[in-house]
Amino acid sequence: MNRFFALLLFIPLFTQAQFKITVSRTKDPVYFRGTLFDEKNYLAKDTVRGTLLTSKTPIKGGIYYLQFAPSKERIYFNIENNDQFALTFSGPAYLATAHSSDPKNEVFLNYQRLEKSFSVIDSLYQVEIARGRKFKFAEKAAFFQSKTAALVAFRKKALATLPPSSTLALYFKSLNTLDESVPSRTDYAARVRFFTKIPFSDGKLLFTPVYRSLLVEYLSYYPLQADSIRVGVEKAMSKIDCGAKSYPFLFDYFSSVMKNRNIVGNTEGYAWFLTKYGVGNACGAFTAAQKKAFKEEAEKLSALKSNAVAANIVLKDTAGATQDLHKFASENDYTLLMFYAPTCDHCQKEVPEIDSTTSVISRIMNLKIGRFAVCNEPGVSRAVWLDFISKYRVNTNVLHVDLPANSPLRSTYDAFSNPTFYLLNRKGEIVAKKISPTTLRKYFAGLQSARPNVP
């Protein structure tokens, strides 16, 4: 039996406005959502129940969507101030039967139907990713070429009819900018061209699904080194008023970027970012308590000096014997210091990966690299700990020790997240901090290039 769903939106004349949604004869729960790029919940987030949804939460013009349960199908639409329009659906396939009394949203519905017609390509891509295939930027662009060409053509034609000031027009222009971009970390001119097309100054951009993607794409033009990424971050932050609504969201996003373990020199880069844009914010974006926390975190990171002797770790191993990090380091060319939790999902993936990477490096460069593995999960049972070691075969030149719950070493090494990896030399000095399998390979690749005769 067909069902009919009618939605009426009325947005009064305010920069931020309340809204009302009227619903007729639908059996499925319908959820109203905003598309703010980092999904922080200061926007209205409600469920349509019965015949009327009202919200006291102000919203801004932008791209929003309805999500239908249990299918989780989404219908996106554009709300601008002073908008009043209806969306109608019939039958269980909501997108296929959707119509709007608003011309720009009728265009948007047709766009979503075109996008959905290419879902098979999206599915094939996910299959390839699941198989472990790695796509370079150009390879990914080629994989989606037919879909991209069709969507770009639609958006260019639609832009001739859309109100230029609408969020939908901004969204389509931004999508075209993304689809015309194929990042290269050596093509500086392309990086500049892409950056100049990002409308950072338009506050509506934050309320579109594309904001994060634009930032990711832009930073993809930079080498994965903190000093390089820092240049991109500074350029992006310079376009944002330090008191603007978008500032805390950009701060959160770039914080996660700067401390990413795949970036060489991430601890120094993250400490710099916290100090300049967190502690140094003069526009009231953060409370005094938040600034204090940023300062304390930056100071902890700065205390972990490269080429300084690491704080010694003397703990009991799985057999109850006392083990000494400095002594162990002196017996190896290098030592990989690993903090992990046996029940941590990331650890179950990354610890075996970095262990395997270390074995390959040891063989290729004829080095003896030890592993000093610290169980960083207070209260975990010995059986679970031993099962992790056995299951993931972390047993090549490795010592496993257990870190007590009240140990100050957790703070000393800023090991409050798992896994956390450091690389030490024979003297026990930290030569690489907060690393990943990728940055570990980069470190030894740099050593090998400096010593071309090493077998």
Side-chain angles (χ1 to χ4, degrees):
M1 180 178 71
N2 283 345
R3 287 167 291 174
F4 178 76
F5 175 91
L7 175 146
L8 178 66
L9 286 157
F10 176 66
I11 307 297
L13 283 165
F14 301 122
T15 302
Q16 290 188 326
Q18 296 178 359
F19 67 92
K20 181 184 292 185
I21 298 177
T22 304
V23 184
S24 299
R25 296 192 301 277
T26 180
K27 295 180 180 179
D28 295 337
V30 185
Y31 301 89
F32 176 89
R33 296 286 188 268
T35 61
L36 188 66
F37 87 104
D38 61 359
E39 298 180 351
K40 292 227 173 211
N41 184 19
Y42 80 84
L43 291 173
K45 221 173 188 183
D46 296 287
T47 304
V48 179
R49 295 190 183 280
T51 60
L52 180 67
L53 180 151
T54 59
S55 175
K56 296 179 181 179
T57 307
I59 62 172
K60 292 181 74 74
I63 306 296
Y64 295 82
Y65 65 90
L66 297 176
Q67 181 167 300
F68 297 85
S71 67
K72 296 185 179 179
E73 183 175 12
R74 292 182 178 185
I75 306 292
Y76 289 85
F77 52 92
N78 175 201
I79 299 176
E80 301 295 339
N81 294 323
N82 201 31
D83 266 357
Q84 180 175 337
F85 60 90
L87 293 176
T88 60
F89 314 87
S90 59
Y94 294 108
L95 180 58
T97 61
H99 292 287
S100 174
S101 61
D102 174 30
K104 70 177 182 298
N105 275 306
E106 187 66 19
V107 169
F108 200 5
L109 291 169
N110 287 331
Y111 174 76
Q112 291 171 71
R113 284 189 275 264
L114 175 62
E115 193 173 37
K116 189 173 182 179
S117 71
F118 288 96
S119 59
V120 64
I121 295 179
D122 299 327
S123 298
L124 289 173
Y125 179 75
Q126 292 304 320
V127 168
E128 292 298 315
I129 293 295
R131 289 175 176 171
R133 180 176 173 182
K134 304 292 185 182
F135 284 85
K136 295 180 180 178
F137 293 123
E139 292 171 340
K140 184 177 180 180
F143 191 94
F144 286 99
Q145 184 176 10
S146 60
K147 175 182 178 179
T148 300
L151 294 179
V152 168
F154 182 100
R155 293 192 296 256
K156 286 183 175 179
K157 185 177 179 180
L159 284 167
T161 66
L162 291 172
S165 61
S166 69
T167 310
L168 184 58
L170 174 68
Y171 180 44
F172 278 4
K173 289 175 185 176
S174 298
L175 285 171
N176 285 344
T177 297
L178 274 175
D179 284 340
E180 292 165 1
S181 164
V182 180
S184 167
R185 293 180 176 126
T186 59
D187 192 341
Y188 308 120
R191 175 201 298 171
V192 172
R193 286 195 302 271
F194 182 81
F195 179 75
T196 57
K197 291 181 179 181
I198 304 177
F200 282 109
S201 59
D202 194 327
K204 290 181 179 179
L205 188 64
L206 184 69
F207 295 86
T208 70
V210 78
Y211 198 11
R212 180 186 291 274
S213 298
L214 288 167
L215 295 172
V216 170
E217 190 85 355
Y218 175 55
L219 292 182
S220 295
Y221 280 95
Y222 288 89
L224 293 177
Q225 298 184 19
D227 53 353
S228 295
I229 295 291
R230 174 174 169 171
V231 175
V233 168
E234 285 189 307
K235 285 186 176 181
M237 294 297 282
S238 71
K239 296 294 182 180
I240 302 298
D241 179 350
C242 69
K245 196 76 172 178
S246 58
Y247 187 93
F249 301 98
L250 273 179
F251 181 86
D252 286 350
Y253 173 71
F254 285 132
S255 289
S256 67
V257 169
M258 294 305 297
K259 64 183 177 183
N260 188 304
R261 290 181 294 109
N262 286 321
I263 294 176
V264 176
N266 56 6
T267 53
E268 292 85 357
Y270 184 39
W272 160 81
F273 182 81
L274 289 171
T275 302
K276 182 169 184 177
Y277 295 105
V279 180
N281 180 272
C283 300
F286 304 112
T287 65
Q290 286 175 309
K291 287 189 173 186
K292 181 182 177 183
F294 296 151
K295 183 179 179 181
E296 289 174 351
E297 188 170 4
E299 288 173 348
K300 284 181 181 179
L301 292 171
S302 298
L304 288 165
K305 302 291 186 184
S306 293
N307 300 317
V309 175
N312 200 14
I313 299 176
V314 180
L315 294 170
K316 301 287 187 179
D317 64 13
T318 52
T322 299
Q323 301 296 343
D324 184 306
L325 172 62
H326 284 176
K327 182 176 182 300
F328 184 71
S330 69
E331 298 168 351
N332 293 276
D333 295 311
Y334 291 91
T335 295
L336 180 66
L337 174 59
M338 306 188 290
F339 291 87
Y340 72 98
T343 61
C344 155
D345 290 340
H346 291 298
C347 300
Q348 291 167 7
K349 176 180 181 296
E350 291 189 47
V351 169
E353 182 181 353
I354 202 166
D355 182 67
S356 174
T357 300
T358 303
S359 294
V360 172
I361 293 170
S362 298
R363 185 177 67 255
I364 292 175
M365 298 193 66
N366 193 27
L367 293 169
K368 185 181 180 183
I369 305 177
R371 287 78 145 170
F372 198 90
V374 181
C375 180
N376 190 27
E377 186 172 2
V380 70
S381 71
R382 187 172 183 276
V384 171
W385 182 24
L386 293 175
D387 182 66
F388 178 92
I389 297 168
S390 174
K391 183 176 181 180
Y392 297 103
R393 300 180 181 178
V394 188
N395 49 24
T396 303
N397 190 19
V398 59
L399 288 179
H400 286 273
V401 297
D402 190 24
L403 188 65
N406 59 353
S407 174
L409 289 168
R410 188 171 288 106
S411 178
T412 300
Y413 281 98
D414 192 34
F416 293 104
S417 62
N418 292 304
T420 298
F421 306 119
Y422 295 89
L423 186 67
L424 281 58
N425 62 16
R426 187 181 288 275
K427 297 178 182 179
E429 298 168 335
I430 298 175
V431 295
K433 301 178 289 184
K434 295 291 188 76
I435 57 177
S436 69
T438 299
T439 48
L440 181 68
R441 285 192 292 269
K442 286 183 178 180
Y443 176 83
F444 283 103
L447 289 184
Q448 193 171 36
S449 63
R451 300 162 58 200
N453 295 326
V454 174

